[in-house]
């Protein structure tokens, strides 16, 4: 892994888990608005690091824990996990002994996909992500809903270093067709599973709500995948501060929580 940081170590710590197809630096626009108050850590998965070999989620967690230890971080004020980053973040929450006070999942891909399906997906995803590097981001709109210029550089950089082996190993180790892991009730109450109503991942929300009955499940009405984070990093950062300080979301105009979906 490669680790980038912003802020002062003595401040409360925030750990970001990035989405598939981008580097950890994709969180910089958000971290830039948090760095005065918080110490932001943005690891890039081994999958997208040149010359590194992905072994598995357990090894990714080991690398993160070693880094936190080297930084003198013994607890986390917040974990922010986007899209597929939710898969690794959930493994961290259930396997690491480092205390975490709050969690925010942005469009977490809580899919449960069979091994054969993941194997079939690999070549298509590989070509899609490599094409972003080969075309300098021109194919992004054909692959994802969002082709914002602000996110393109992180897709291009990730595609540059991606190898087929690393992606294959990651998918073999992720999105398992297994029950969701158990989280303590106390942590569930401080965890936010957010989905945009327009994103494809919204279909996972009901299953997540049934598993984590004590959690928070905000919906960003008419928003697509990670749209708020990508297009309004300042507003997204201010929302994260509210999660840390109040354990609640601010009064966002597009926010809703449909209790009938529980």
């Amino acid at each position: 892994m490669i680790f980038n940081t912003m802020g002062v170590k003595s401040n409360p710590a925030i750990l970001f888990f990035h989405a598939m197809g981008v580097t950890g630096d994709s969180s910089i626009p958000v971290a830039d608005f948090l760095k005065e108050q918080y110490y932001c850590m943005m690891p890039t998965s081994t999958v997208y690091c040149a010359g590194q070999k992905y072994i598995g989620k357990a090894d990714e967690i080991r690398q993160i824990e070693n880094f936190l230890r080297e930084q003198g971080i013994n607890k986390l004020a917040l974990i922010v996990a986007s899209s597929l980053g939710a898969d690794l973040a959930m493994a961290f929450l259930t396997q690491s002994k480092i205390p975490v006070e709050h969690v925010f999942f942005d469009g977490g891909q809580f899919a449960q996909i069979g091994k054969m399906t993941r194997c079939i997906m690999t070549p298509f995803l590989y070509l899609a992500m490599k094409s972003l590097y080969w075309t300098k981001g021109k194919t992004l709109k054909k692959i994802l809903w969002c082709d914002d210029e602000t996110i393109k550089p992180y897709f291009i950089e990730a595609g540059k270093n991606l190898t087929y082996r690393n992606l294959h190993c990651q998918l073999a180790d992720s999105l398992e067709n297994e029950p969701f892991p158990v989280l303590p009730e106390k942590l569930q109450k401080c965890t936010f599973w957010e989905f945009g109503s327009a994103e494809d991942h919204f279909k996972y929300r009901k299953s997540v709500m049934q598993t984590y009955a004590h959690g928070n499940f905000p919906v960003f009405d008419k928003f697509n995948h990670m749209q708020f984070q990508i297009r309004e990093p300042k507003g997204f950062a201010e929302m994260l501060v509210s999660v840390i300080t109040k354990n609640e979301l601010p009064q966002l105009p597009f926010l809703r929580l449909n209790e009938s979906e529980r």
Side-chain angles (χ1 to χ4, degrees):
M1 303 184 94
I2 294 175
F3 294 85
N4 196 359
T5 65
M6 298 179 73
V8 180
K9 292 181 185 179
S10 58
N11 285 338
I14 301 176
L15 177 62
F16 289 85
F17 289 84
H18 64 80
M20 173 180 270
V22 295
T23 63
D25 285 358
S26 58
S27 296
I28 286 178
V30 174
D32 196 44
F33 291 103
L34 296 167
K35 64 185 180 183
E36 299 301 323
Q37 296 174 269
Y38 300 95
Y39 184 52
C40 301
M41 296 169 288
M42 298 162 285
T44 293
S45 171
T46 302
V47 177
Y48 307 108
C49 295
Q52 296 188 16
K53 185 178 292 186
Y54 181 87
I55 298 174
K57 283 189 288 191
D59 184 65
E60 299 288 281
I61 293 169
R62 178 191 62 80
Q63 293 185 62
I64 293 171
E65 287 182 323
N66 288 344
F67 178 78
L68 294 177
R69 195 175 301 113
E70 292 169 359
Q71 298 290 298
I73 305 298
N74 53 27
K75 69 175 181 178
L76 296 168
L78 175 68
I79 278 179
V80 184
S82 303
S83 194
L84 186 63
D87 187 80
L88 181 57
M90 189 63 78
F92 181 88
L93 289 169
T94 55
Q95 297 176 29
S96 176
K97 295 182 179 179
I98 296 174
V100 178
E101 296 176 344
H102 303 275
V103 184
F104 189 90
F105 292 109
D106 187 15
Q109 192 166 336
F110 291 97
Q112 295 168 298
I113 302 175
K115 184 176 181 180
M116 184 58 67
T117 302
R118 281 179 276 144
C119 186
I120 294 171
M121 289 167 55
T122 304
F124 296 99
L125 289 171
Y126 175 76
L127 289 174
M129 285 187 274
K130 291 300 287 189
S131 74
L132 293 169
Y133 169 63
W134 294 330
T135 66
K136 297 183 179 179
K138 292 180 180 179
T139 58
L140 184 58
K141 192 170 184 178
K142 297 179 181 179
I143 298 168
L144 298 176
W145 67 271
C146 178
D147 64 342
D148 286 33
E149 291 299 321
T150 54
I151 197 70
K152 277 186 180 181
Y154 311 113
F155 275 107
I156 295 169
E157 185 63 24
K160 174 183 176 182
N161 297 321
L162 180 67
T163 66
Y164 188 86
R165 180 209 170 276
N166 276 349
L167 181 63
H168 173 77
C169 290
Q170 183 193 37
L171 290 179
D173 192 42
S174 305
L175 306 175
E176 299 99 330
N177 189 21
E178 301 288 342
F180 293 134
V182 175
L183 289 181
E185 180 179 327
K186 182 179 179 181
L187 182 58
Q188 289 185 41
K189 291 179 178 179
C190 298
T191 299
F192 295 77
W193 284 267
E194 173 273 317
F195 294 93
S197 65
E199 67 175 304
D200 186 57
H201 294 177
F202 189 79
K203 62 189 176 185
Y204 304 129
R205 182 172 182 261
K206 186 175 180 180
S207 296
V208 176
M209 293 176 76
Q210 291 173 343
T211 302
Y212 304 111
H214 303 285
N216 305 280
F217 303 92
V219 174
F220 288 174
D221 196 32
K222 298 179 182 178
F223 271 54
N224 216 313
H225 193 51
M226 296 173 58
Q227 183 174 337
F228 185 39
Q229 177 181 169
I230 294 170
R231 294 185 173 173
E232 298 184 49
K234 184 175 185 292
F236 191 83
E238 290 172 347
M239 178 194 67
L240 296 179
V241 173
S242 181
V243 168
I244 295 172
T245 59
K246 301 179 181 179
N247 197 46
E248 63 182 34
L249 301 187
Q251 294 299 313
L252 302 168
F254 47 81
L255 175 65
R256 69 176 173 87
L257 178 60
N258 190 344
E259 295 293 334
S260 66
E261 292 184 30
R262 286 188 180 273

